[in-house]
Amino acid sequence: MATINAQNIVDGLRYSQENTTGTARFNAMSGAFGALGGDLSAIAINPAGGAVFLRNEANISAGVRDTDNETLYFGTFAKSLKSDVNLNQVGGVFVFDNADETSNWKKFTLGINYNNTQNFDNELFIAGNGNNSIADFFLNQAQGIPLNLLQLQGSESISDLYSYLGETQGTAAQNAFLGYQGFIFDPADPNNSNNTEYISNVAPGSFNQEYVLLSDGYSGKYTVNLATQYTDDFFFGINLNSHVIDYRQSTYLSEINNNQGSTVNQIGFENNLSVLGSGFSAQVGAIAKIADNFRVGLTYDTPTWFNISEETTQYLETQRTVDGQTSTAVIDPNALNIYEDFNLKTPGKLAASAAYVFGKSGLISFDYSYKDYSEIKFKPTSDPAFATENSFISNTLQSSSTFRIGGEYRLDEVSLRAGYRFEESPYENKQLMDDLNGYSLGVGYSFGNYYIDASFISTEQERQQQLYNIGLTDSALVNTINNSFVFTFGLKL
């Protein structure tokens, strides 16, 4: 059981941002459904949308997603592509009309729906000749740690000492142990077991580096929707949401140098992370028809409260040359670090929307939402590491506005759709992550009691990918384009 938490701003953002990939109709209009309703994924935007349904309905949506990453690292360009198939949405809604036709409460609806909120499948490749070494990652964490904590005692194995350091000292000591056993650095005073100062065996210069990040998993939201219609003009709803996180990430850095004075010329460093989480949130919303063809919507999303567990493993391999003899050191602790569970509160959201319906021929819709990412909080806040990270998040992140616009035009049984999405960066410094832009297209065909929809959506965003938080803190510029094709089959009962 590791005693020191390693969570940071990147983890907080990963589970705070949503990219709801629901029905094909929802995607085709870039999610601009807050004042419309009548779509199972629209319920995730405004729970009052459940009361807009006229008949019982059920559907299922699946998609194909391509993630295209282009990276620039010290003047070297690299590219990677990841494709996957996933379940975007499945659900149904049941409509109960009020038998009392004189009542102002026209109907009540019950909806149950699942929406994929984030797809974590990704492949990132970074390559170039940097001027900082991964050796600095290990060296910086070793400074101040007594030498006797890094040396094997008696019959003690690599796995034994690595696990002991995780239980008593934390991840920094484990990293220092890997570096020492891999000969990346030596003690300044090797004859003193209490030595706390270390010297790198990797000389300054140029370093040929290749960095690979592979991730997969998802975050999803299971929703129970309760909604009602009052008169012909007002719709109200509430969502109770259960959230899940399943995330896995593996990184590998390969570094080679021919610098004069280096005894260690090759380093391979692997880190693996597995995350499981569950959470809860609620939403309340309303839609009002303020004219025959014009309607507005308002929604409040509470913060989401997550409980998260993490596990990690590590592996290090080095090659060194001493007195003309080359040898390889493999340090594989074969040990699983199980971190103490922690809590994460992601920020709430306020959304307003408006839509104009052109009779039965089409519509245009606009959504605006506001979310303050500086409110991300790791808990317990009494934990010094969490308190420091929360303060950093508060000073680094900002509120973000999202604008969505979508339209639909109907030609008998055929519907043509399009949309645009703009989302501000959650960072105060947009060089760390730029704004997101996206557009969408789609088509649908109604067969009466069932329908088929298809959509294409594309988003693009630039950001900086920092290799490590300590030592090797160089960043690569990453431009990511996500393209998704979504297909929905639905029934009206």
Side-chain angles (χ1 to χ4, degrees), residues 106 113 118 241 244 276 297 315 443:
K106 300 299 183 182
N113 193 52
Q118 280 280 27
N241 304 310
V244 294
L276 292 175
Y315 172 92
V443 63

Side-chain angles (χ1 to χ4, degrees), residues 235-281:
F235 307 84
F236 305 97
I238 183 171
N239 286 344
L240 302 177
N241 304 310
S242 176
H243 300 256
V244 294
I245 295 171
D246 185 356
Y247 178 73
R248 293 168 298 278
Q249 175 184 289
S250 179
T251 64
Y252 186 82
L253 177 84
S254 173
E255 178 181 288
I256 300 174
N257 79 86
N258 295 310
N259 301 333
Q260 186 175 1
S262 286
T263 58
V264 174
N265 301 110
Q266 294 185 27
I267 301 174
F269 183 38
E270 179 179 283
N271 283 275
N272 301 299
L273 168 68
S274 177
V275 182
L276 292 175
S278 60
F280 174 81
S281 72

Side-chain angles (χ1 to χ4, degrees), residues 4-18:
I4 295 180
N5 298 309
Q7 294 75 33
N8 57 38
I9 190 172
V10 175
D11 300 300
L13 268 180
R14 181 187 303 124
Y15 311 128
S16 296
Q17 293 181 300
E18 288 190 353

Side-chain angles (χ1 to χ4, degrees), residues 62-261:
V64 179
R65 179 175 179 266
D66 292 333
T67 301
D68 186 354
N69 289 307
E70 296 179 347
T71 64
L72 185 64
Y73 184 66
F74 288 97
T76 300
F77 175 83
K79 189 173 182 178
S80 53
L81 179 65
K82 174 77 171 181
S83 299
D84 63 276
V85 178
N86 53 80
L87 176 68
N88 283 30
Q89 169 276 334
V90 61
V93 64
F94 303 92
V95 179
F96 304 93
D97 292 319
N98 192 343
D100 182 2
E101 296 182 358
T102 63
S103 174
N104 286 327
W105 297 99
K106 300 299 183 182
K107 64 186 170 191
F108 167 79
T109 63
L110 170 64
I112 301 174
N113 193 52
Y114 164 78
N115 263 315
N116 180 291
T117 53
Q118 280 280 27
N119 186 323
F120 296 130
D121 290 5
N122 194 19
E123 180 176 324
L124 186 67
F125 179 68
I126 298 170
N129 293 309
N131 49 30
N132 292 306
S133 172
I134 187 61
D136 296 332
F137 170 86
F138 298 99
L139 181 65
N140 289 356
Q141 294 176 90
Q143 304 295 0
I145 296 179
L147 176 60
N148 57 13
L149 283 179
L150 307 181
Q151 295 175 318
L152 298 174
Q153 307 295 326
S155 61
E156 192 174 37
S157 69
I158 291 286
S159 180
D160 292 337
L161 183 49
Y162 180 86
S163 298
Y164 170 79
L165 292 174
E167 294 168 359
T168 61
Q169 305 297 317
T171 55
Q174 288 180 314
N175 290 327
F177 171 68
L178 293 177
Y180 177 74
Q181 294 296 325
F183 306 102
I184 291 175
F185 57 81
D186 284 330
D189 185 359
N191 297 316
N192 179 7
S193 63
N194 294 316
N195 172 85
T196 58
E197 182 180 351
Y198 300 91
I199 302 169
S200 178
N201 287 323
V202 177
S206 178
F207 303 92
N208 181 270
Q209 295 164 335
E210 292 185 353
Y211 178 87
V212 179
L213 184 154
L214 302 175
S215 66
D216 61 72
Y218 71 100
S219 65
K221 180 166 69 174
Y222 296 88
T223 296
V224 175
N225 170 256
L226 304 172
T228 186
Q229 179 182 348
Y230 182 77
T231 70
D232 291 330
D233 300 323
F234 300 98
F235 307 84
F236 305 97
I238 183 171
N239 286 344
L240 302 177
N241 304 310
S242 176
H243 300 256
V244 294
I245 295 171
D246 185 356
Y247 178 73
R248 293 168 298 278
Q249 175 184 289
S250 179
T251 64
Y252 186 82
L253 177 84
S254 173
E255 178 181 288
I256 300 174
N257 79 86
N258 295 310
N259 301 333
Q260 186 175 1

Side-chain angles (χ1 to χ4, degrees), residues 32-39 41-53 105 107 109 225-239 284-300 351-357 365-367:
F33 265 88
L36 291 173
D39 182 277
S41 291
I43 294 175
I45 302 299
N46 187 342
V52 178
F53 282 92
W105 297 99
K107 64 186 170 191
T109 63
N225 170 256
L226 304 172
T228 186
Q229 179 182 348
Y230 182 77
T231 70
D232 291 330
D233 300 323
F234 300 98
F235 307 84
F236 305 97
I238 183 171
N239 286 344
V284 291
I287 296 174
K289 293 181 180 178
I290 60 176
D292 288 342
N293 297 323
F294 187 66
R295 59 184 69 181
V296 295
L298 187 66
T299 312
Y300 172 68
S353 50
Y356 190 87
V357 180
S365 180
F366 173 80
D367 281 20

Side-chain angles (χ1 to χ4, degrees), residues 313-432:
T313 60
Q314 295 181 297
Y315 172 92
L316 178 71
E317 183 175 349
T318 65
Q319 182 176 296
R320 64 172 183 153
T321 301
V322 178
D323 297 329
Q325 299 295 317
T326 299
S327 61
T328 299
V330 176
I331 303 90
D332 184 4
N334 195 27
L336 182 67
N337 292 316
I338 303 175
Y339 291 84
E340 185 176 356
D341 288 1
F342 65 94
N343 297 319
L344 173 67
K345 187 187 82 170
T346 66
K349 183 173 68 174
L350 186 64
S353 50
Y356 190 87
V357 180
F358 301 93
K360 295 184 178 180
S361 62
L363 58 88
I364 186 168
S365 180
F366 173 80
D367 281 20
Y368 167 80
S369 62
Y370 174 90
K371 197 171 189 177
D372 189 354
Y373 288 97
S374 67
E375 294 297 318
I376 293 172
K377 291 289 185 295
F378 289 102
K379 295 184 176 184
T381 55
S382 57
D383 185 309
F386 283 158
T388 299
E389 192 61 30
N390 289 338
S391 178
F392 177 71
I393 288 173
S394 179
N395 294 325
T396 304
L397 300 182
Q398 64 175 356
S399 59
S400 170
S401 294
T402 299
F403 304 86
R404 302 171 188 260
I405 186 169
E408 180 179 61
Y409 184 70
R410 296 171 184 166
L411 297 168
D412 297 324
E413 289 79 16
V414 177
S415 296
L416 305 176
R417 302 162 184 140
Y420 173 75
R421 170 187 170 197
F422 173 81
E423 184 173 330
E424 291 181 327
S425 170
Y427 283 91
E428 290 187 0
N429 180 3
K430 289 190 177 182
Q431 290 184 344
L432 298 176

